[in-house]
Amino acid sequence: MGPAVWRGPDLTRSRDWAQYLTPSRLDELDAAVRAVRTRGTPLLKVTAEHFPLPGLAEDLARAADELENGRGFVLVRGIPVEDYGPAALGVLLWGLGRHLGIPVSQNTTGHMLGRTGTAENGREDLAAQAFHTDEADAVALLCLRKIRTALASSAAVHNAVRAHRPDLLDSLYRTHFLVREEPDPPQVPCRAVPLAHRDGERFSLRYDRRRLESAQHRADVPRLSPAEVELFDLIDAAAHSPDLRLDLDLAPGDLLLLNSHAVLHSLTAPAPVPARAPGPQALRLWLTPHRPRTLPRDFWGDAPSAAGGRGGVPPLDVITPQTPTTRKPHDRAVRTPGPIRPVPR
């Protein structure tokens, strides 16, 4: 089977998607963190050049290729997070991320370095989450405490939906409306975008049912049809199916890298948090890879940022064009009647 179309039970029999950092790689990482901290370079100005990783950079380049052309995820294990304070951990993840891509904003206040396990945007991130994708090309999640999560191949979910209800699949390529952030500030516009795009055998999916349903509270957003609700039900069922999902128990020091277009993820059963547990459960970056896949402009609905990133949640002080909230015939992309075939390496 090709790398992008995978099933969780098959991957549990092989652990080649997990990489363990060697002592020499850890020494490189520690030296890079200390170099940035010694110079006092502001975090947002730290680039890959400020964070030199002579050998680890090659490993990260291979990881980036796996994200884009392979399974869509990589698990890096063995980062000694207990050896670093909060500020140093931020530098560590940011520096690694800059070797992979360009960070983009995660909320309307412009936060580039997210934290899970703390109340952000008015909600508690420790709540269990349904399968979804984030609003960025790629995600880097550095675990500081135990996290139980699950992944599912977007292409495998697509094929499962096609096998059960091929008549619903065309709706994925039409324009849908979703909010930019949860909870949704009234001044933040909805985004009218397709949920899927297909370029040959490469399939890209965006899906967050919570944001899709939150958009229904807007008076100017068309109501979801019964067929669209049924499509979302099928996506949820396929991703949660034990035939497709891959369950992961992440430990402190694990770095999970995801291609949001290729992999759905969820927080299945958060580990209990001690009453006085210090700091967040994990740190998170949203990234635009240095070599991102080609996607149509309307897939994001926004122009690239000044730094060259795309996607994310533009801060409120950034002026963006208002998105029309009417569906038009040309909003539909080309229908894809066939399954997504495995792509050989």
Side-chain angles (χ1 to χ4, degrees):
M1 174 175 285
V5 188
W6 50 263
R7 295 174 177 270
D10 296 330
L11 296 191
T12 59
R13 292 187 281 271
S14 171
R15 294 284 174 167
D16 58 353
W17 38 267
Q19 303 176 5
Y20 293 83
L21 294 182
T22 64
S24 63
R25 297 296 194 251
L26 293 175
D27 288 344
E28 285 184 20
L29 187 58
D30 185 65
V33 171
R34 293 180 184 278
V36 171
R37 301 272 286 164
T38 299
R39 287 193 303 267
T41 306
L43 184 65
L44 296 183
K45 293 186 177 181
V46 173
T47 66
E49 289 71 27
H50 295 115
F51 203 83
L53 299 170
L56 187 52
E58 297 179 5
D59 299 337
L60 292 173
R62 285 190 290 271
D65 182 69
E66 182 68 26
L67 294 184
E68 187 58 37
N69 301 307
R71 298 185 186 93
F73 76 95
V74 173
L75 179 59
V76 180
R77 317 202 87 155
I79 298 174
V81 293
E82 66 279 359
D83 293 347
Y84 298 95
L89 284 171
V91 170
L92 186 152
L93 179 58
W94 184 274
L96 288 170
R98 292 302 277 123
H99 281 270
L100 293 167
I102 302 168
V104 297
S105 172
Q106 299 180 34
N107 54 35
T108 53
T109 58
H111 289 161
M112 303 287 228
L113 185 64
R115 293 169 172 82
T116 65
T118 57
E120 286 188 352
N121 306 326
R123 66 183 177 87
E124 179 58 39
D125 274 341
L126 282 174
Q129 299 171 356
F131 276 93
H132 67 284
T133 63
D134 289 336
E135 285 292 292
D137 289 286
V139 180
L141 187 74
L142 177 62
C143 298
L144 308 182
R145 299 201 299 268
K146 292 181 179 179
I147 297 177
R148 188 169 301 161
T149 188
L151 311 178
S153 160
S154 296
V157 168
H158 165 282
N159 289 348
V161 172
R162 181 182 181 274
H164 288 87
R165 288 295 304 275
D167 57 303
L168 297 178
L169 202 58
D170 189 40
S171 180
L172 274 178
Y173 299 87
R174 299 174 184 168
T175 296
H176 291 74
F177 299 85
L178 72 164
V179 297
R180 307 297 298 265
E181 183 176 11
E182 284 282 4
D184 181 31
Q187 64 270 42
V188 176
C190 271
R191 182 152 42 176
V193 291
L195 298 184
H197 173 70
R198 187 163 173 183
D199 181 7
E201 291 298 329
R202 175 168 286 175
F203 176 70
S204 301
L205 176 70
R206 71 145 45 84
Y207 180 71
D208 188 333
R209 187 164 185 169
R210 181 181 59 194
R211 298 186 186 215
L212 288 162
E213 291 179 341
S214 290
Q216 294 293 293
H217 299 148
R218 303 288 187 95
D220 58 345
V221 170
R223 302 302 92 186
L224 291 171
S225 69
E228 289 171 320
V229 173
E230 187 172 0
L231 170 64
F232 299 162
D233 289 342
L234 281 173
I235 291 174
D236 292 342
H240 279 90
S241 167
D243 293 334
L244 295 187
R245 64 185 286 165
L246 174 67
D247 292 303
L248 294 177
D249 287 318
L250 303 179
D254 284 349
L255 175 65
L256 181 62
L257 305 174
L258 300 173
N259 183 326
S260 291
H261 307 304
V263 177
L264 294 148
H265 66 278
S266 75
L267 187 64
T268 58
V273 178
R276 296 184 179 180
Q281 193 176 32
L283 299 180
R284 179 186 61 241
L285 283 179
W286 285 359
L287 298 166
T288 299
H290 293 305
R291 296 181 181 84
R293 65 179 57 187
T294 300
L295 291 166
R297 171 70 177 273
D298 66 349
F299 194 83
W300 291 115
D302 296 315
S305 70
R310 63 184 186 182
V313 180
L316 284 177
D317 59 354
V318 174
I319 300 174
T320 57
Q322 292 295 316
T323 303
T325 55
T326 55
R327 288 187 173 128
K328 299 178 182 179
H330 64 264
D331 287 333
R332 180 182 298 190
V334 177
R335 185 172 183 177
T336 58
I340 298 171
R341 297 180 178 85
V343 180
R345 289 185 180 274

